[in-house]
Amino acid sequence: MMWATAAFLIGFLLISSSSRATLGGWLGNASKWIGDWAPFSYVIILLVIAASIVPVVLMARWPRREDPVNPMARYKDDEVLPD
């Protein structure tokens, strides 16, 4: 998938001290929000996680497309010119 791209982006975000402070503030506010809205926040987090996992499972379980049969394949071994 795109793990390398995400790691590259996170690496650039963590270079600057101001972006590290902003991300730390967001994480602190998120943990406070999760604690304050405990039963509802768990449902919302579960829905967000499920919304990201379900498409991956659907793509993995989707039936494979079969290539159409070539009607000329049965003549592949026949010689075209006589000896």
Side-chain angles (χ1 to χ4, degrees), residues 8-51:
F8 187 73
L9 176 66
I10 290 171
F12 270 102
L13 284 175
L14 295 178
I15 287 175
S16 173
S17 62
S18 63
S19 64
R20 277 195 310 260
T22 303
L23 290 173
W26 286 348
L27 289 175
N29 289 339
S31 65
K32 182 181 179 300
W33 176 80
I34 289 171
D36 291 346
W37 289 84
F40 302 112
S41 63
Y42 297 148
V43 172
I44 292 171
I45 291 171
L46 180 68
L47 288 174
V48 168
I49 291 172

Side-chain angles (χ1 to χ4, degrees), residues 62-70:
W62 200 261
R64 300 274 182 215
R65 186 179 75 90
E66 294 183 19
D67 292 331
V69 177
N70 184 1

